[in-house]
Amino acid sequence: MKILSKKGYKVLVARNGILALQSVLSSRPDLILLDIMMPNMSGYEVCEHLKSNKQTHDIPIIFMSASDELFNKVKAFSVGGVDYITKPFQTEEVLARVKTHLTIHYLQRDLEKRNAELDAFAHTVAHDLKNPISAMITSISMLIDYCSDVDDTDIKELLFILLEGGKNAARIIDEILLLAGTGRGNVILEPLDMANIISKVKKLIKPMIDEYHGIIVHPSTWATALGHAPWIEQVWINYISNALKYGGHPPHIQLGFTAQVDGTISFWVRDNGSGLSHESQATLFKEFTRLDKVKAEGYGLGLSIARRIVEKLGGEVGVKSEIGKSSVFYFTLPQTSTLLTPPLQGEGSKIPLSYG
């Protein structure tokens, strides 16, 4: 298998069937080249064992056979093989078949992951839409059935529920459309006017800021990063909204940025809440998960979208937090060659993305 090693593939060799089974379980290869004739057990038997094991059943197996061996092609495919090569090997043929089946394997694995994400997404959307719509239906029914028997205060309360339910449903739909947009094509990265983006975000969520009596402190000037303004606007909305809902009472929120040594800029939101456990932090940005234990309704869909947006723009997301201390949610973006005037850290950024 020197021809594969020379092309950069990592190759492990097992001299018999038993060692082959042990090696596959411990190393989980992406593809197996399997001889028909081996000591202890035949290649057919090895393949049957691998295909009956949930841990190894999806690994593609290419059978190898000498030209003078009795090779049953039908049996090779029936036990789970995806292809076969006869000796003496032609280098180009071996490399082509290996590359083809690795590509198919990777595509299948990615498709399975996407399907799992789609199932989780559908479940989350159904759950998120059900609550506001149910509240709206209940309120409408009460207004219709009992309108003559309720006073103005009760009517206003029901109308407020309808209004909030409509807003929540519209927000979920906007998030769905935004998530769909991140999966299509490429975007052109442009210098971001972060001061203008923050000003717009504050206007958009002003009713929420007023409702929670939130105080937001941020720099007057910002470093210039590269990104896509409409998407970054949504990331800030998500981060700040979560800080308002799940931070301190009343929420005191700091926004800032820090230039990193790797050429990126870290933008962050620091709340004055009670912090998150390491277990909660590990699941925050995963696809469509919820943190019911910390009453973080709405985190799952919003933060998974934020992660997708930032990764699409070449950055990364994260959170630094400890129980009993505030949380810092951050995202990084590539910076332009020229930053705004010093300092390279925004107001409040002398509080780094770590503790100690």
Side-chain angles (χ1 to χ4, degrees):
M1 293 293 99
K2 292 181 179 179
I3 58 176
L4 295 173
S5 298
K6 289 180 180 180
K7 288 296 181 178
Y9 294 104
K10 183 179 179 181
V11 179
L12 299 176
V13 178
R15 298 299 179 184
N16 58 58
I18 294 176
L19 292 177
L21 292 175
Q22 294 173 348
S23 177
V24 170
L25 287 173
S26 61
S27 61
R28 287 286 299 158
D30 292 324
L31 183 139
I32 298 171
L33 295 170
L34 190 58
D35 268 311
I36 297 296
M37 302 301 295
M38 292 190 299
N40 303 124
M41 63 177 67
S42 70
Y44 301 126
E45 293 174 297
V46 172
C47 185
E48 288 178 324
H49 278 285
L50 292 173
K51 293 304 175 181
S52 64
N53 189 327
K54 291 183 179 180
Q55 293 180 294
T56 59
H57 74 92
D58 61 338
I59 302 175
I61 296 175
I62 298 177
F63 280 105
M64 299 186 298
S65 172
S67 58
D68 59 348
E69 290 177 353
L70 182 61
F71 178 44
N72 189 331
K73 298 177 184 178
V74 174
K75 185 172 183 178
F77 286 114
S78 67
V79 296
V82 297
D83 206 345
Y84 65 90
I85 306 172
T86 56
K87 302 175 184 179
F89 299 133
Q90 297 295 321
T91 300
E92 293 79 7
E93 178 186 9
V94 173
L95 292 174
R97 290 179 186 271
V98 167
K99 182 179 179 181
T100 296
H101 288 291
L102 281 176
T103 300
I104 294 172
H105 178 56
Y106 295 149
L107 289 173
Q108 288 177 331
R109 191 163 62 187
D110 185 63
L111 181 60
E112 290 173 359
K113 179 183 176 183
R114 296 290 182 181
N115 285 338
E117 291 177 357
L118 183 60
D119 288 342
F121 175 67
H123 177 79
T124 301
V125 170
H127 180 275
D128 282 356
L129 283 175
K130 183 177 181 179
N131 289 337
I133 291 176
S134 295
M136 293 168 68
I137 292 172
T138 300
S139 299
I140 292 171
S141 298
M142 292 178 66
L143 284 172
I144 293 174
D145 295 339
Y146 306 109
C147 190
S148 59
D149 299 326
V150 296
D151 58 29
D152 291 344
T153 301
D154 291 332
I155 292 176
K156 288 180 180 179
E157 183 176 346
L158 291 173
L159 290 174
F160 178 78
I161 294 174
L162 286 172
L163 178 62
E164 289 303 305
K167 288 180 179 178
N168 287 334
R171 173 187 58 78
I172 294 166
I173 292 171
D174 286 340
E175 289 180 337
I176 294 171
L177 294 174
L178 180 63
L179 181 62
T182 61
R184 294 196 301 266
N186 297 316
V187 295
I188 298 175
L189 300 184
E190 297 178 333
L192 298 172
D193 184 350
M194 200 62 78
N196 182 60
I197 291 174
I198 293 297
S199 176
K200 185 176 180 181
V201 167
K202 288 171 64 179
K203 289 179 181 178
L204 289 171
I205 64 173
K206 187 180 184 304
M208 188 176 186
I209 296 173
D210 293 341
E211 178 186 353
Y212 287 90
H213 306 290
I215 298 173
I216 300 177
V217 179
H218 58 80
S220 56
T221 58
W222 294 80
T224 305
L226 295 174
H228 183 54
W231 286 3
I232 295 304
E233 178 184 308
Q234 292 300 318
V235 174
W236 279 116
I237 287 175
N238 184 269
Y239 275 22
I240 298 174
S241 297
N242 284 336
L244 289 168
K245 289 187 288 185
Y246 311 120
H249 302 288
H252 189 282
I253 301 167
Q254 291 179 305
L255 315 182
F257 64 92
T258 306
Q260 306 293 307
V261 295
D262 63 357
T264 64
I265 301 174
S266 179
F267 297 94
W268 46 266
V269 175
R270 182 185 183 107
D271 63 35
N272 61 327
S274 57
L276 295 167
S277 68
H278 291 297
E279 293 76 17
S280 297
Q281 293 176 52
T283 60
L284 269 176
F285 291 93
K286 290 184 177 180
E287 297 291 345
F288 320 122
T289 57
R290 298 203 162 276
L291 294 183
D292 294 330
K293 293 182 180 179
V294 293
K295 300 180 180 179
E297 182 181 355
Y299 264 18
L301 183 58
L303 288 182
S304 65
I305 292 174
R307 178 182 62 80
R308 280 182 175 242
I309 287 174
V310 174
E311 289 179 354
K312 184 83 171 182
L313 298 175
E316 61 181 19
V317 298
V319 59
K320 298 290 185 180
S321 183
E322 294 179 14
I323 295 296
K325 296 184 178 181
S326 57
S327 301
V328 178
F329 284 80
Y330 65 89
F331 63 94
T332 65
L333 292 174
Q335 64 179 335
T336 58
S337 57
T338 303
L339 298 177
L340 294 179
T341 56
L344 290 182
Q345 293 188 339
E347 179 180 323
S349 61
K350 41 182 185 275
I351 305 170
L353 301 182
S354 61
Y355 294 101

